[in-house]
Amino acid sequence: MIDRFLRRLAVRSRIGGGFALLLVMMALFAPLLITSQSFTVGRLKQITEVETRADRLLLLAAARIESSRVNTMRYIQDYAPSTYEALDDVAQASELLTEARGLITSPEQQATLDTVLVALADYRTLIHEVEAAPRTEGQDVSRLLFQAYRLGNDIGQRIEQVVRDSEVRMAAGNEAILAQIEDRLILVGAGYAFAVVLALILAGVIQRSITRPVAELRQGADAFRQGQMDVTVPVVGSDELSLLGQTFNELTAQLRASIGSLEQRVADRTRDLEQRAVQLATAADVSRAAASILDLKTLTAQVVNLVHERFDLYYVGLFLLDAQGRYAVLEAGTGEAGRIMLEQGHRLEVGAGSMVGAACAQRQAGIALDVDAAREYSGGASLARFDNPLLPHTRSEMALPLIVGGAGGRVLGALDVQSTLPAAFSEDDVAVLQLVADQVAVAIQNATLFAESQISLETARRAYGEISREAWRRLIGGHSGVHGYVSDERGLVPIAEDGGPHLQGGLRPGAVAQSGGQPAGAKR
C-alpha cells in the first residue's frame, strides 16, 4: 500500500518529501534537546551562583560573629575603648544572614536562619549589657561575657550546620541533576535513534519505489527485444516511471497493431491504387469523349454520366455561363433531379450565393466536406451553398470551375459533384476531378467553336446562293424573249419562247440546256 501511494507521487516529490519528513522529525526532537539543555544550565547556575553565594554569605556571617566575640573580649581587657566594633560585626553578620536567607530555597534552612537572626538580636543585647555593666563588678561582667560567648558560639554552630546542610543538599541536587540529565540524554538518544531508523526505512521504501519500476521496465524491454511482442509493464501509479511504463505499453501495443495491420494496409494501399487507376481511366475516357464528340449536348450529357458512374457520386451537374456571364445555367445533370432541373431551366447567379456561382466568380474550387457543419476542405470558394430541395441527401459537395487558357483564361462554367457521404473528397479526388474539369472545358470550347464554325459556314452558303440567284435574274431580265440557253459546239445559244428545234428535237448528246439560271432538267 505504501509503495502504491508513493508511486502516485513524482520521483522528485518522493525524495524531497523524505528529506522534509526527516527534518520535521529532527525539529520535533529539538524542543526536548533545548529543554534538557535549559534545565541543565539552570541547575548548574543555581548551584554555582545561588547556593554557592549563600554558603559564602553564611561563612562570612559566621566570621563576623567570631570577630564580634574577639572585639568584645578586647573591650573587657581594655584593648578597645568601646563595643562599637563588636556591634558593627553583629550588624554586618545580620545583613549577611538576611541576604543569604533570600537566596536559600529550603524551608528548613530558612527557619534555621530565622532562629539565628533572633539569637543574633539577643547577642547584640548582651553586648550592650556588657558595655553598660561597670568593669569593677567582675562577677557580672564575667557572667554576661560567658553568656555572650556561649550565645555567639551557638549562633556560629547553627550557621555552620546550615552550611553543612546546604552542602549535603547541593550534593543531593547534583546527583538528581546528573540522573535527570542522564534520563534526558537517554530519551534524546532514543528519539534520534528512532529518527535514524525511520529515515533508513523511509529511504529503503523510496529507493524500492524508484528501482522496482526501473527493473520492471528493463525486464520488459529485454523480453520485447527477444521477440515477446505481448509483453507489458505493470503500471500502478502516476509518477514519471509509471508514465514511462505506460508509454512503453502503448509503444508495444502500437508496434503489435502496426505489425498486425501491415497486410491490411498493403491491401488498402492496393485498393487506393486501383481506385486511382479507375479515376485516371475516367479522366482518359472523358478526354476521348472530348476528342470524339463535337455536339455540346451529347458531350455534356456523356461527361456527367461518366463522372457520376466512375466516381460513385450522388449527383453530377455541369453548368455553363450565359452570354452576359451573370448566370450559370445547368447544361446537363444526372438522375431524376437533373432531369427536373433541366426542364425548369435551373440556373445559379454568379457570386457568393452558391458554391457553383462562387467557383465561377472566384475562379477556384470550393469544397464542403460536411454541408451540415459548413466546414471547408480547402481555401477555395465561399462556403455559402444552394440548398437544393431536389437533392436532400447531400453531405459533401465540390464545385470546380471550367477554365480554358490557363489560370488567367476564360471561365466557361462549373462542374458540380455531390455525395451522400461526409468527407467524401480526398486530395487525389480533387486533383483528378480538376483534371477532368480542365479537359471538359477544352472539349466544351472545341464543341462551341465547331458549332460556331458550322453556323458561319451555313450562313456563307446561304449568302452565296442568294447572290447567284440575283445575278441570274439580272441576266435573264436583260434578254427579252429568251427563255433559256443551250450550250453546244457553237457555244451558248439562246432558246426562243417556242423552244426551237433544241427543245422539240431534244438535246444532243453533250449539250447542256439552262433556263432561268438553272441547268436543263433541273427543278425550278
Side-chain angles (χ1 to χ4, degrees):
M1 181 178 292
I2 297 178
D3 186 67
R4 288 181 177 273
F5 172 74
L6 291 176
R7 292 290 294 274
R8 296 178 182 272
L9 303 176
V11 175
R12 179 182 299 178
S13 299
R14 274 180 261 172
I15 296 175
F19 280 111
L21 182 60
L22 182 61
L23 292 176
V24 169
M25 290 189 297
M26 294 180 65
L28 291 177
F29 287 107
L32 179 61
L33 181 63
I34 293 173
T35 54
S36 299
Q37 183 179 3
S38 300
F39 173 79
T40 302
V41 172
R43 293 298 294 169
L44 291 176
K45 184 177 181 180
Q46 181 179 4
I47 291 172
T48 55
E49 293 183 4
V50 178
E51 297 191 7
T52 302
R53 184 180 177 185
D55 291 344
R56 184 172 61 85
L57 293 174
L58 291 174
L59 292 175
L60 289 175
R64 287 296 178 184
I65 292 173
E66 184 65 25
S67 176
S68 67
R69 291 169 57 191
V70 171
N71 289 326
T72 303
M73 291 297 298
R74 290 178 60 199
Y75 172 73
I76 295 299
Q77 296 175 2
D78 293 330
Y79 292 112
S82 66
T83 59
Y84 170 76
E85 294 181 356
L87 291 175
D88 183 64
D89 290 334
V90 172
Q92 291 182 11
S94 179
E95 293 177 357
L96 292 173
L97 289 176
T98 302
E99 185 177 357
R101 185 184 182 284
L103 297 175
I104 293 174
T105 59
S106 175
E108 294 82 2
Q109 291 182 343
Q110 289 180 352
T112 302
L113 290 178
D114 291 337
T115 303
V116 170
L117 289 173
V118 172
L120 192 61
D122 295 339
Y123 181 69
R124 183 184 300 106
T125 302
L126 288 174
I127 293 174
H128 283 292
E129 290 179 357
V130 169
E131 184 180 10
R135 296 185 183 180
T136 55
E137 298 178 1
Q139 186 177 0
D140 292 336
V141 173
S142 298
R143 180 178 59 79
L144 292 173
L145 183 62
F146 175 75
Q147 291 179 356
Y149 179 83
R150 187 178 61 180
L151 185 56
N153 186 49
D154 183 60
I155 291 172
Q157 289 180 354
R158 290 185 179 183
I159 292 174
E160 291 178 359
Q161 184 64 38
V162 170
V163 173
R164 286 193 296 269
D165 293 342
S166 178
E167 291 176 354
V168 173
R169 190 171 58 83
M170 187 181 299
N174 291 337
E175 292 179 357
I177 291 172
L178 291 176
Q180 291 178 359
I181 292 174
E182 290 177 357
D183 294 340
R184 290 177 179 271
L185 288 176
I186 292 173
L187 181 61
V188 172
Y192 278 102
F194 174 75
V196 170
V197 172
L198 186 60
L200 292 175
I201 295 174
L202 182 61
V205 172
I206 295 176
Q207 182 266 345
R208 183 173 179 271
S209 68
I210 296 174
T211 57
R212 182 176 178 180
V214 173
E216 292 173 349
L217 280 172
R218 185 189 62 188
Q219 295 173 0
D222 291 340
F224 187 79
R225 180 173 55 84
Q226 295 173 3
Q228 299 180 16
M229 304 300 296
D230 57 345
V231 64
T232 57
V233 175
V235 178
V236 297
S238 58
D239 59 342
E240 296 91 336
L241 298 175
S242 299
L243 294 177
L244 184 59
Q246 184 178 356
T247 304
F248 177 81
N249 293 337
E250 293 176 355
L251 178 61
T252 55
Q254 291 176 0
L255 289 175
R256 288 195 300 269
S258 299
I259 295 173
S261 62
L262 182 59
E263 295 181 358
Q264 182 64 33
R265 286 188 294 173
V266 171
D268 294 340
R269 183 59 178 168
T270 303
R271 185 173 61 254
D272 292 340
L273 292 176
E274 292 175 351
Q275 185 178 2
R276 178 70 170 171
V278 171
Q279 294 174 347
L280 292 176
T282 301
D285 292 341
V286 172
S287 179
R288 285 193 294 270
S292 60
I293 300 174
L294 294 176
D295 181 66
L296 186 60
K297 291 290 184 182
T298 305
L299 174 64
T300 55
Q302 187 165 350
V303 167
V304 295
N305 288 328
L306 275 173
V307 174
H308 179 269
E309 177 185 354
R310 298 295 179 84
F311 287 89
D312 192 20
L313 296 170
Y314 173 48
Y315 168 77
V316 178
L318 195 149
F319 292 80
L320 296 178
L321 295 180
D322 58 5
Q324 293 77 23
R326 182 178 178 183
Y327 291 97
V329 182
L330 181 66
E331 188 69 23
T334 59
E336 183 66 17
R339 185 188 64 81
I340 296 174
M341 284 188 285
L342 286 173
E343 292 178 355
Q344 295 176 351
H346 179 64
R347 65 179 185 175
L348 297 171
E349 186 177 0
V350 175
S354 64
M355 294 188 67
V356 171
C360 295
Q362 300 178 9
R363 307 171 67 90
Q364 56 182 347
I367 306 152
L369 293 181
D370 192 340
V371 298
D372 295 333
R375 292 182 298 178
E376 189 177 9
Y377 175 79
S378 63
S382 172
L383 282 177
R385 60 180 299 273
F386 174 70
D387 190 8
N388 197 328
L390 297 175
L391 301 170
H393 303 298
T394 299
R395 292 296 303 277
S396 301
E397 183 177 1
M398 177 167 56
L400 300 151
L402 303 177
I403 304 176
V404 292
R410 185 165 61 95
V411 178
L412 302 180
L415 179 66
D416 183 44
V417 295
Q418 301 182 22
S419 174
T420 57
L421 301 175
F425 305 114
S426 64
E427 293 182 359
D428 293 338
D429 296 332
V430 175
V432 173
L433 287 172
Q434 186 62 62
L435 177 62
V436 170
D438 294 339
Q439 293 176 350
V440 170
V442 174
I444 290 174
Q445 185 184 34
N446 292 337
T448 303
L449 292 176
F450 178 77
E452 291 176 353
S453 65
Q454 289 295 103
I455 294 173
S456 299
L457 182 60
E458 183 66 24
T459 302
R461 285 178 179 176
R462 291 178 180 177
Y464 178 75
E466 293 292 333
I467 294 172
S468 298
R469 285 193 293 270
E470 182 66 25
W472 281 111
R473 282 195 297 268
R474 290 179 180 178
L475 181 62
I476 293 171
H479 298 80
S480 59
V482 179
H483 295 278
Y485 294 88
V486 174
S487 177
D488 55 13
E489 67 276 1
R490 293 176 299 173
L492 192 64
V493 179
I495 300 175
E497 184 176 358
D498 56 357
H502 298 87
L503 296 178
Q504 293 174 1
L507 293 175
R508 292 188 299 272
V512 178
Q514 293 182 349
S515 176
Q518 293 182 349
K523 294 182 180 180
R524 297 186 62 181

